[in-house]
Coordinates of all heavy atoms in Angstrom, one line a residue:
M194 N 0.8 -1.2 0.0 CA 0.0 0.0 0.0 C 0.9 1.3 0.0 O 0.6 2.2 -0.7 CB -0.9 0.0 1.2 CG -1.8 1.1 1.3 SD -3.1 1.1 0.0 CE -4.1 2.4 0.4
E195 N 1.9 1.3 0.8 CA 2.8 2.4 0.9 C 3.5 2.6 -0.5 O 3.7 3.8 -0.9 CB 3.8 2.2 2.0 CG 3.3 2.3 3.4 CD 4.3 2.1 4.4 OE1 5.5 1.9 4.1 OE2 3.9 2.0 5.6
T196 N 3.8 1.5 -1.1 CA 4.5 1.6 -2.4 C 3.6 2.3 -3.5 O 4.1 3.2 -4.2 CB 4.9 0.3 -2.9 OG1 5.7 -0.4 -1.9 CG2 5.7 0.3 -4.2
I197 N 2.4 2.0 -3.5 CA 1.4 2.6 -4.4 C 1.2 4.0 -4.1 O 1.2 4.9 -5.0 CB 0.0 1.8 -4.3 CG1 0.2 0.4 -4.9 CG2 -1.0 2.6 -5.1 CD1 -1.0 -0.5 -4.7
L198 N 1.1 4.4 -2.8 CA 1.0 5.8 -2.4 C 2.2 6.6 -2.8 O 2.1 7.7 -3.4 CB 0.8 5.9 -0.9 CG 0.6 7.3 -0.4 CD1 -0.6 8.0 -1.0 CD2 0.4 7.2 1.1
L199 N 3.4 6.0 -2.6 CA 4.7 6.6 -3.0 C 4.8 6.8 -4.5 O 5.1 7.9 -4.9 CB 5.9 5.8 -2.5 CG 7.2 6.4 -2.7 CD1 7.4 7.8 -2.1 CD2 8.3 5.5 -2.3
L200 N 4.4 5.8 -5.2 CA 4.4 5.9 -6.7 C 3.4 7.0 -7.2 O 3.7 7.8 -8.1 CB 4.1 4.6 -7.4 CG 5.3 3.6 -7.3 CD1 4.8 2.2 -7.8 CD2 6.5 4.0 -8.0
T201 N 2.3 7.1 -6.6 CA 1.3 8.1 -6.9 C 1.8 9.5 -6.7 O 1.7 10.4 -7.5 CB 0.0 7.8 -6.2 OG1 -0.5 6.5 -6.4 CG2 -1.1 8.8 -6.6
I202 N 2.4 9.7 -5.5 CA 3.0 11.0 -5.2 C 4.1 11.4 -6.2 O 4.1 12.5 -6.7 CB 3.5 11.0 -3.8 CG1 2.3 10.9 -2.8 CG2 4.3 12.3 -3.5 CD1 2.8 10.7 -1.4
I203 N 5.0 10.4 -6.6 CA 6.0 10.7 -7.5 C 5.4 11.1 -8.9 O 5.9 12.0 -9.5 CB 7.0 9.5 -7.6 CG1 7.8 9.3 -6.3 CG2 7.9 9.6 -8.8 CD1 8.6 8.1 -6.3
V204 N 4.4 10.3 -9.3 CA 3.8 10.6 -10.6 C 3.2 12.0 -10.6 O 3.3 12.8 -11.5 CB 2.8 9.5 -11.0 CG1 1.9 10.0 -12.1 CG2 3.5 8.2 -11.3
L205 N 2.5 12.3 -9.5 CA 1.9 13.7 -9.4 C 2.9 14.8 -9.4 O 2.7 15.8 -10.0 CB 1.0 13.8 -8.1 CG -0.3 12.9 -8.2 CD1 -1.0 13.0 -6.8 CD2 -1.2 13.4 -9.3
L206 N 4.0 14.6 -8.7 CA 5.1 15.6 -8.7 C 5.7 15.7 -10.1 O 6.0 16.8 -10.5 CB 6.2 15.2 -7.7 CG 5.8 15.3 -6.2 CD1 6.9 14.8 -5.3 CD2 5.5 16.8 -5.9
L207 N 5.9 14.6 -10.8 CA 6.5 14.7 -12.1 C 5.5 15.4 -13.1 O 5.9 16.1 -14.0 CB 6.9 13.3 -12.6 CG 8.1 12.7 -11.9 CD1 8.3 11.3 -12.4 CD2 9.4 13.5 -12.1
A208 N 4.2 15.1 -12.9 CA 3.2 15.7 -13.8 C 3.0 17.2 -13.6 O 2.6 17.9 -14.5 CB 1.9 14.9 -13.7
S209 N 3.2 17.6 -12.4 CA 2.9 19.0 -12.1 C 4.0 19.9 -12.8 O 5.1 19.5 -12.9 CB 2.9 19.3 -10.6 OG 4.2 19.1 -10.1
S210 N 3.6 21.1 -13.3 CA 4.5 21.9 -14.0 C 5.5 22.6 -13.0 O 5.1 22.9 -11.9 CB 3.8 23.0 -14.8 OG 3.1 23.8 -13.9
D211 N 6.6 22.8 -13.5 CA 7.7 23.4 -12.7 C 7.4 24.9 -12.6 O 7.1 25.6 -13.6 CB 9.0 23.2 -13.4 CG 10.2 23.8 -12.6 OD1 10.0 24.2 -11.4 OD2 11.3 23.7 -13.1
P212 N 7.3 25.4 -11.3 CA 7.0 26.9 -11.2 C 7.9 27.8 -12.0 O 7.5 28.8 -12.4 CB 7.1 27.1 -9.7 CG 7.2 25.8 -9.0 CD 7.6 24.8 -10.1
S213 N 9.2 27.4 -12.1 CA 10.1 28.3 -12.8 C 9.8 28.3 -14.3 O 9.9 29.3 -14.9 CB 11.6 27.8 -12.6 OG 11.7 26.5 -13.1
D214 N 9.2 27.2 -14.8 CA 8.8 27.2 -16.2 C 7.6 28.2 -16.4 O 7.6 28.9 -17.4 CB 8.4 25.8 -16.7 CG 9.5 24.9 -16.9 OD1 10.7 25.4 -17.0 OD2 9.3 23.6 -16.9
A215 N 6.7 28.1 -15.5 CA 5.5 29.0 -15.6 C 6.0 30.5 -15.5 O 5.5 31.4 -16.2 CB 4.5 28.7 -14.5
K216 N 7.0 30.7 -14.6 CA 7.5 32.1 -14.4 C 8.2 32.6 -15.7 O 8.0 33.7 -16.1 CB 8.4 32.1 -13.2 CG 8.8 33.5 -12.8 CD 9.6 33.5 -11.5 CE 9.7 34.8 -10.9 NZ 10.3 34.9 -9.6
I217 N 9.0 31.7 -16.3 CA 9.6 32.1 -17.6 C 8.6 32.3 -18.7 O 8.8 33.3 -19.4 CB 10.6 30.9 -18.0 CG1 11.8 30.9 -17.0 CG2 11.1 31.2 -19.4 CD1 12.7 29.7 -17.2
K218 N 7.6 31.5 -18.8 CA 6.6 31.8 -19.8 C 5.9 33.1 -19.5 O 5.6 33.8 -20.5 CB 5.6 30.6 -19.8 CG 6.1 29.3 -20.4 CD 5.1 28.2 -20.4 CE 5.6 26.9 -20.9 NZ 4.7 25.8 -20.8
H219 N 5.6 33.4 -18.3 CA 5.0 34.7 -17.9 C 5.8 35.8 -18.3 O 5.4 36.8 -18.9 CB 4.6 34.7 -16.5 CG 4.0 36.0 -16.0 ND1 2.7 36.3 -16.3 CD2 4.5 37.0 -15.2 CE1 2.5 37.5 -15.8 NE2 3.5 37.9 -15.1
M220 N 7.1 35.8 -18.0 CA 8.1 36.8 -18.3 C 8.2 37.0 -19.8 O 8.3 38.1 -20.3 CB 9.4 36.6 -17.6 CG 9.4 36.7 -16.1 SD 10.9 36.2 -15.3 CE 12.1 37.2 -16.0
D221 N 8.2 35.8 -20.5 CA 8.4 35.9 -22.0 C 7.2 36.6 -22.6 O 7.3 37.4 -23.5 CB 8.5 34.4 -22.5 CG 9.1 34.4 -23.9 OD1 10.0 35.3 -24.2 OD2 8.8 33.4 -24.6
K222 N 6.0 36.3 -22.1 CA 4.8 36.9 -22.6 C 4.8 38.4 -22.3 O 4.5 39.2 -23.2 CB 3.5 36.3 -21.9 CG 2.2 36.9 -22.4 CD 1.1 36.2 -21.7 CE -0.2 36.9 -22.2 NZ -1.4 36.3 -21.5
K223 N 5.3 38.8 -21.1 CA 5.4 40.3 -20.8 C 6.4 41.0 -21.7 O 6.2 42.1 -22.2 CB 5.8 40.5 -19.4 CG 4.7 40.1 -18.4 CD 3.6 41.1 -18.4 CE 2.6 40.8 -17.3 NZ 1.5 41.7 -17.4
L224 N 7.5 40.3 -22.0 CA 8.5 40.9 -22.9 C 8.0 41.0 -24.3 O 8.2 42.1 -24.9 CB 9.8 40.0 -22.9 CG 10.9 40.4 -23.7 CD1 11.4 41.8 -23.3 CD2 12.1 39.5 -23.6
D225 N 7.2 40.0 -24.7 CA 6.6 40.2 -26.1 C 5.7 41.4 -26.1 O 5.6 42.1 -27.1 CB 5.8 38.9 -26.4 CG 6.8 37.7 -26.8 OD1 8.0 38.0 -27.1 OD2 6.3 36.6 -26.8
Q226 N 4.9 41.6 -25.1 CA 4.0 42.7 -25.0 C 4.7 44.0 -25.0 O 4.3 45.0 -25.7 CB 3.1 42.6 -23.8 CG 2.1 41.5 -23.8 CD 1.4 41.4 -22.5 OE1 1.8 41.8 -21.4 NE2 0.2 40.7 -22.5
I227 N 5.8 44.1 -24.3 CA 6.6 45.3 -24.3 C 7.2 45.6 -25.7 O 7.2 46.7 -26.2 CB 7.7 45.2 -23.2 CG1 7.1 45.2 -21.8 CG2 8.8 46.4 -23.4 CD1 8.1 44.9 -20.7
M228 N 7.7 44.5 -26.3 CA 8.3 44.7 -27.6 C 7.3 45.1 -28.6 O 7.6 46.0 -29.5 CB 9.0 43.4 -28.1 CG 10.3 43.1 -27.3 SD 11.0 41.5 -27.6 CE 11.5 41.7 -29.3
D229 N 6.1 44.6 -28.6 CA 5.0 45.0 -29.4 C 4.7 46.5 -29.2 O 4.5 47.2 -30.2 CB 3.7 44.1 -29.2 CG 3.9 42.7 -29.8 OD1 4.8 42.5 -30.6 OD2 3.0 41.9 -29.4
Y230 N 4.6 46.9 -28.0 CA 4.2 48.2 -27.6 C 5.3 49.2 -28.2 O 5.0 50.3 -28.7 CB 4.1 48.4 -26.1 CG 3.8 49.8 -25.7 CD1 2.5 50.3 -25.8 CD2 4.8 50.6 -25.2 CE1 2.2 51.6 -25.4 CE2 4.5 51.9 -24.8 CZ 3.2 52.4 -24.9 OH 2.9 53.7 -24.6
L231 N 6.6 48.8 -28.1 CA 7.6 49.7 -28.5 C 7.9 49.5 -30.0 O 8.8 50.3 -30.6 CB 8.9 49.4 -27.8 CG 8.9 49.7 -26.3 CD1 10.1 49.3 -25.6 CD2 8.7 51.2 -26.0
G232 N 7.3 48.6 -30.7 CA 7.5 48.4 -32.1 C 8.8 47.7 -32.4 O 9.4 47.9 -33.5
I233 N 9.3 46.9 -31.5 CA 10.6 46.2 -31.7 C 10.3 44.8 -32.3 O 9.5 44.1 -31.7 CB 11.3 46.1 -30.4 CG1 11.6 47.5 -29.8 CG2 12.6 45.3 -30.6 CD1 12.2 47.5 -28.4
E234 N 10.9 44.5 -33.4 CA 10.7 43.2 -34.0 C 11.7 42.2 -33.3 O 12.8 42.5 -32.9 CB 11.1 43.2 -35.4 CG 10.1 44.0 -36.3 CD 10.4 43.9 -37.8 OE1 10.9 42.9 -38.2 OE2 10.2 44.9 -38.4
D235 N 11.1 41.0 -33.1 CA 11.9 39.9 -32.5 C 12.9 39.4 -33.6 O 12.5 39.0 -34.7 CB 11.0 38.7 -32.1 CG 11.8 37.7 -31.2 OD1 12.9 38.0 -30.8 OD2 11.2 36.6 -31.0
V236 N 14.2 39.4 -33.2 CA 15.2 39.1 -34.2 C 15.6 37.6 -33.9 O 16.0 37.3 -32.8 CB 16.5 40.0 -34.0 CG1 17.6 39.5 -35.0 CG2 16.1 41.4 -34.3
N237 N 15.5 36.8 -34.9 CA 16.0 35.4 -34.9 C 17.1 35.2 -35.9 O 16.8 35.2 -37.1 CB 14.8 34.4 -35.1 CG 15.2 33.0 -34.9 OD1 16.4 32.7 -34.8 ND2 14.2 32.1 -34.8
I238 N 18.3 35.1 -35.4 CA 19.4 35.1 -36.4 C 19.9 33.6 -36.5 O 21.0 33.4 -37.1 CB 20.6 36.0 -35.9 CG1 21.1 35.6 -34.6 CG2 20.1 37.4 -35.9 CD1 22.4 36.3 -34.2
D239 N 19.1 32.7 -36.1 CA 19.5 31.3 -36.2 C 19.8 30.9 -37.6 O 20.8 30.1 -37.9 CB 18.5 30.3 -35.6 CG 18.5 30.3 -34.1 OD1 19.4 31.0 -33.5 OD2 17.6 29.7 -33.5
E240 N 19.0 31.3 -38.6 CA 19.3 30.9 -40.0 C 20.6 31.5 -40.5 O 21.4 30.8 -41.1 CB 18.1 31.4 -40.9 CG 16.8 30.6 -40.6 CD 17.0 29.1 -40.7 OE1 17.7 28.6 -41.7 OE2 16.4 28.4 -39.9
E241 N 20.9 32.7 -40.1 CA 22.2 33.4 -40.5 C 23.3 32.6 -39.8 O 24.3 32.4 -40.5 CB 22.2 34.8 -40.0 CG 23.4 35.6 -40.3 CD 23.4 37.0 -39.8 OE1 22.3 37.5 -39.5 OE2 24.5 37.6 -39.8
L242 N 23.2 32.2 -38.6 CA 24.2 31.5 -37.9 C 24.4 30.1 -38.5 O 25.5 29.6 -38.7 CB 23.9 31.3 -36.4 CG 23.8 32.6 -35.6 CD1 23.3 32.3 -34.2 CD2 25.1 33.4 -35.6
K243 N 23.3 29.5 -38.9 CA 23.4 28.1 -39.5 C 24.2 28.2 -40.9 O 25.0 27.3 -41.2 CB 22.0 27.5 -39.8 CG 21.4 27.1 -38.5 CD 20.0 26.5 -38.8 CE 19.2 26.2 -37.6 NZ 17.9 25.7 -37.8
E244 N 24.0 29.3 -41.6 CA 24.7 29.5 -42.9 C 26.2 29.7 -42.6 O 27.0 29.1 -43.3 CB 24.2 30.7 -43.6 CG 22.8 30.5 -44.2 CD 22.3 31.8 -44.9 OE1 23.1 32.6 -45.3 OE2 21.0 31.9 -45.1
L245 N 26.5 30.5 -41.6 CA 27.9 30.6 -41.2 C 28.6 29.3 -40.8 O 29.7 29.0 -41.2 CB 28.1 31.7 -40.1 CG 27.8 33.1 -40.5 CD1 27.7 34.0 -39.3 CD2 28.9 33.6 -41.5
I246 N 27.8 28.6 -40.0 CA 28.3 27.3 -39.6 C 28.5 26.3 -40.8 O 29.6 25.6 -40.8 CB 27.4 26.6 -38.5 CG1 27.3 27.4 -37.3 CG2 27.7 25.2 -38.3 CD1 26.2 27.1 -36.3
A247 N 27.6 26.3 -41.7 CA 27.7 25.5 -42.9 C 28.9 25.9 -43.7 O 29.5 25.0 -44.4 CB 26.4 25.5 -43.7
D248 N 29.3 27.1 -43.7 CA 30.4 27.6 -44.4 C 31.7 27.5 -43.6 O 32.8 28.0 -44.0 CB 30.3 29.1 -44.8 CG 29.2 29.3 -45.9 OD1 28.8 28.3 -46.5 OD2 28.7 30.4 -46.0
N249 N 31.6 26.7 -42.5 CA 32.8 26.4 -41.7 C 33.3 27.7 -41.0 O 34.5 27.9 -40.9 CB 33.9 25.7 -42.4 CG 34.8 24.9 -41.4 OD1 34.4 24.6 -40.3 ND2 36.0 24.6 -41.9
K250 N 32.4 28.6 -40.6 CA 32.8 29.9 -40.0 C 32.1 30.0 -38.7 O 31.3 30.9 -38.4 CB 32.3 31.1 -40.9 CG 33.0 31.1 -42.3 CD 32.5 32.2 -43.1 CE 33.2 32.2 -44.5 NZ 32.7 33.3 -45.3
K251 N 32.5 29.1 -37.8 CA 32.0 29.1 -36.4 C 32.4 30.4 -35.6 O 31.5 30.9 -34.9 CB 32.4 27.9 -35.6 CG 31.5 26.7 -35.7 CD 31.9 25.7 -34.7 CE 30.8 24.7 -34.6 NZ 31.2 23.7 -33.6
I252 N 33.6 30.8 -35.8 CA 34.0 32.0 -35.0 C 33.3 33.2 -35.4 O 32.8 34.0 -34.6 CB 35.6 32.2 -35.1 CG1 36.3 31.0 -34.4 CG2 36.0 33.5 -34.5 CD1 37.8 31.0 -34.5
P253 N 33.1 33.5 -36.8 CA 32.3 34.6 -37.1 C 30.8 34.5 -36.7 O 30.2 35.5 -36.3 CB 32.3 34.6 -38.7 CG 33.7 34.0 -39.0 CD 33.8 33.0 -37.9
A254 N 30.3 33.2 -36.6 CA 29.0 33.0 -36.1 C 28.9 33.4 -34.6 O 27.9 34.0 -34.2 CB 28.6 31.5 -36.3
I255 N 29.9 33.0 -33.8 CA 29.9 33.4 -32.4 C 30.0 34.9 -32.3 O 29.3 35.5 -31.5 CB 31.1 32.7 -31.7 CG1 30.9 31.2 -31.7 CG2 31.3 33.2 -30.3 CD1 32.1 30.4 -31.3
K256 N 30.8 35.5 -33.1 CA 30.9 37.0 -33.0 C 29.6 37.6 -33.3 O 29.2 38.6 -32.7 CB 32.0 37.5 -34.0 CG 33.4 37.2 -33.5 CD 34.5 37.7 -34.5 CE 35.9 37.5 -34.0 NZ 36.9 38.0 -35.0
R257 N 29.0 37.2 -34.4 CA 27.7 37.7 -34.8 C 26.6 37.6 -33.7 O 25.9 38.5 -33.4 CB 27.2 37.1 -36.1 CG 25.9 37.5 -36.6 CD 26.0 39.0 -37.2 NE 24.7 39.3 -37.7 CZ 23.9 40.2 -37.1 NH1 24.3 40.8 -36.0 NH2 22.7 40.5 -37.6
L258 N 26.6 36.4 -33.1 CA 25.6 36.2 -32.0 C 25.9 37.1 -30.9 O 25.0 37.7 -30.3 CB 25.7 34.7 -31.6 CG 24.7 34.3 -30.5 CD1 23.3 34.5 -30.9 CD2 25.0 32.9 -30.0
R259 N 27.1 37.3 -30.5 CA 27.5 38.2 -29.4 C 27.1 39.6 -29.7 O 26.6 40.4 -28.9 CB 29.0 38.1 -29.1 CG 29.3 36.7 -28.5 CD 30.7 36.6 -28.0 NE 30.8 37.5 -26.8 CZ 32.0 38.1 -26.4 NH1 33.1 37.9 -27.1 NH2 32.0 38.8 -25.3
Q260 N 27.3 40.0 -31.0 CA 27.0 41.4 -31.4 C 25.5 41.6 -31.3 O 25.1 42.7 -30.9 CB 27.5 41.6 -32.8 CG 27.2 42.9 -33.5 CD 27.6 42.9 -34.9 OE1 27.5 41.9 -35.6 NE2 28.0 44.1 -35.4
E261 N 24.7 40.7 -31.7 CA 23.3 40.8 -31.8 C 22.7 40.7 -30.4 O 21.7 41.4 -30.1 CB 22.7 39.8 -32.7 CG 21.2 40.0 -33.0 CD 20.9 41.2 -33.7 OE1 21.6 41.6 -34.7 OE2 19.9 41.9 -33.4
T262 N 23.2 39.8 -29.5 CA 22.5 39.5 -28.3 C 23.2 40.1 -27.0 O 22.6 40.2 -26.0 CB 22.3 38.0 -28.1 OG1 23.6 37.4 -28.0 CG2 21.5 37.4 -29.2
G263 N 24.5 40.3 -27.1 CA 25.2 40.7 -25.9 C 25.6 39.6 -25.1 O 26.0 39.8 -23.9
M264 N 25.5 38.4 -25.6 CA 25.9 37.2 -24.8 C 27.4 37.2 -24.5 O 28.2 37.8 -25.3 CB 25.7 35.9 -25.6 CG 24.3 35.4 -25.6 SD 24.2 33.8 -26.5 CE 22.5 33.6 -26.7
G265 N 27.8 36.5 -23.5 CA 29.2 36.3 -23.2 C 29.8 35.3 -24.1 O 29.1 34.6 -24.8
L266 N 31.1 35.2 -24.2 CA 31.8 34.4 -25.1 C 31.5 32.9 -24.9 O 31.1 32.2 -25.9 CB 33.3 34.6 -25.0 CG 34.2 33.7 -25.9 CD1 33.9 33.9 -27.4 CD2 35.7 34.0 -25.6
E267 N 31.5 32.4 -23.7 CA 31.3 31.0 -23.4 C 29.8 30.6 -23.7 O 29.6 29.6 -24.4 CB 31.5 30.7 -21.9 CG 31.4 29.3 -21.6 CD 31.8 29.0 -20.1 OE1 32.5 29.8 -19.5 OE2 31.4 27.9 -19.6
E268 N 28.9 31.5 -23.4 CA 27.5 31.2 -23.7 C 27.2 31.2 -25.2 O 26.5 30.4 -25.7 CB 26.6 32.3 -23.0 CG 25.1 32.1 -23.1 CD 24.3 33.2 -22.4 OE1 24.9 34.2 -22.1 OE2 23.1 33.0 -22.3
A269 N 27.8 32.2 -25.9 CA 27.6 32.2 -27.3 C 28.2 31.0 -28.0 O 27.7 30.5 -29.0 CB 28.2 33.5 -27.9
K270 N 29.4 30.6 -27.6 CA 30.1 29.4 -28.2 C 29.2 28.2 -27.9 O 29.0 27.4 -28.9 CB 31.4 29.2 -27.5 CG 32.2 28.0 -28.2 CD 33.5 27.7 -27.5 CE 34.2 26.5 -28.1 NZ 33.4 25.3 -28.2
E271 N 28.7 28.0 -26.7 CA 27.8 26.9 -26.4 C 26.5 26.9 -27.3 O 26.1 25.9 -27.8 CB 27.4 26.9 -25.0 CG 26.7 25.7 -24.5 CD 26.5 25.8 -23.0 OE1 27.4 25.9 -22.2 OE2 25.3 25.7 -22.6
Y272 N 26.0 28.1 -27.5 CA 24.8 28.3 -28.3 C 25.1 27.8 -29.8 O 24.3 27.1 -30.4 CB 24.3 29.7 -28.3 CG 23.0 30.0 -29.0 CD1 21.8 29.9 -28.3 CD2 22.9 30.2 -30.3 CE1 20.6 30.1 -28.9 CE2 21.7 30.5 -31.0 CZ 20.5 30.4 -30.3 OH 19.4 30.6 -30.9
V273 N 26.2 28.3 -30.3 CA 26.6 28.0 -31.7 C 26.9 26.5 -31.8 O 26.5 25.9 -32.8 CB 27.7 28.9 -32.2 CG1 28.3 28.4 -33.5 CG2 27.3 30.3 -32.3
D274 N 27.5 25.9 -30.8 CA 27.8 24.5 -30.9 C 26.6 23.7 -30.8 O 26.4 22.7 -31.6 CB 28.7 24.1 -29.7 CG 30.2 24.6 -29.8 OD1 30.6 24.9 -30.9 OD2 30.9 24.6 -28.8
N275 N 25.6 24.1 -30.0 CA 24.3 23.4 -30.0 C 23.6 23.5 -31.3 O 22.9 22.6 -31.8 CB 23.4 23.9 -28.8 CG 23.9 23.4 -27.5 OD1 24.6 22.4 -27.4 ND2 23.6 24.2 -26.4
L276 N 23.6 24.7 -31.9 CA 23.0 24.9 -33.2 C 23.6 24.1 -34.2 O 22.9 23.6 -35.1 CB 23.1 26.4 -33.5 CG 22.1 27.0 -34.6 CD1 20.7 26.8 -34.2 CD2 22.4 28.5 -34.7
D277 N 24.9 24.0 -34.2 CA 25.7 23.1 -35.1 C 25.3 21.7 -35.0 O 25.0 21.0 -36.0 CB 27.2 23.3 -34.9 CG 28.0 22.6 -35.9 OD1 27.5 22.3 -37.0 OD2 29.2 22.3 -35.6
E278 N 25.1 21.2 -33.8 CA 24.7 19.8 -33.6 C 23.3 19.5 -34.1 O 23.0 18.5 -34.6 CB 24.8 19.4 -32.1 CG 26.2 19.4 -31.6 CD 26.3 19.2 -30.1 OE1 25.2 19.0 -29.4 OE2 27.4 19.2 -29.5
K279 N 22.4 20.5 -33.9 CA 21.0 20.3 -34.4 C 20.9 20.4 -35.9 O 20.0 19.9 -36.5 CB 20.1 21.4 -33.8 CG 19.9 21.2 -32.3 CD 19.1 22.3 -31.7 CE 19.0 22.2 -30.2 NZ 18.2 23.2 -29.6
S280 N 21.9 21.1 -36.6 CA 21.8 21.3 -38.0 C 22.1 20.0 -38.8 O 21.7 19.8 -39.9 CB 22.8 22.4 -38.4 OG 22.5 23.6 -37.9
F281 N 22.9 19.1 -38.2 CA 23.3 17.9 -38.9 C 22.9 16.7 -38.3 O 22.2 16.4 -37.5 CB 24.8 17.9 -39.0 CG 25.4 19.1 -39.7 CD1 26.0 20.2 -39.0 CD2 25.3 19.3 -41.1 CE1 26.5 21.3 -39.6 CE2 25.8 20.4 -41.7 CZ 26.4 21.4 -41.0

């Protein structure tokens, strides 16, 4: 009986949404509203980065991403590496 109760609790915990996910979604929605109000277009440079990666230009891709987003070097490199893995 205890095993069934424990399994039920585990399943319920896994099924419940993570509060941080809900908070991120809420913040993302607010940011979209602010961008719409200010007339700022959402820039997605993934396609441009994929082209640079395909041309074997990872360093320029990292530089471009940092220029556009203000990311740090390590974070931008990781992003480009992940994008590279997904491309192929």
Side-chain angles (χ1 to χ4, degrees):
M194 181 68 175
E195 290 177 5
T196 306
I197 293 173
L198 180 59
L199 181 61
L200 287 173
T201 304
I202 292 172
I203 291 172
V204 168
L205 289 173
L206 287 174
L207 292 174
S209 66
S210 65
D211 185 5
S213 61
D214 287 342
K216 192 171 190 173
I217 290 171
K218 287 179 183 177
H219 177 72
M220 290 172 59
D221 201 30
K222 183 179 177 183
K223 290 289 186 184
L224 182 58
D225 286 344
Q226 290 173 341
I227 292 168
M228 289 175 64
D229 285 345
Y230 179 78
L231 295 174
I233 300 171
E234 291 184 32
D235 191 14
V236 177
N237 186 346
I238 63 167
D239 284 356
E240 292 305 317
E241 180 181 344
L242 297 175
K243 287 178 186 178
E244 288 177 23
L245 289 168
I246 293 167
D248 291 341
N249 203 23
K250 296 181 179 179
K251 268 190 164 181
I252 293 174
I255 293 168
K256 286 181 179 180
R257 178 70 179 108
L258 179 61
R259 293 187 71 206
Q260 176 187 32
E261 188 65 41
T262 65
M264 279 186 192
L266 179 59
E267 186 176 339
E268 186 180 12
K270 183 185 179 310
E271 189 175 305
Y272 186 93
V273 169
D274 287 343
N275 287 335
L276 198 59
D277 186 21
E278 290 174 7
K279 292 177 184 178
S280 296
F281 301 103

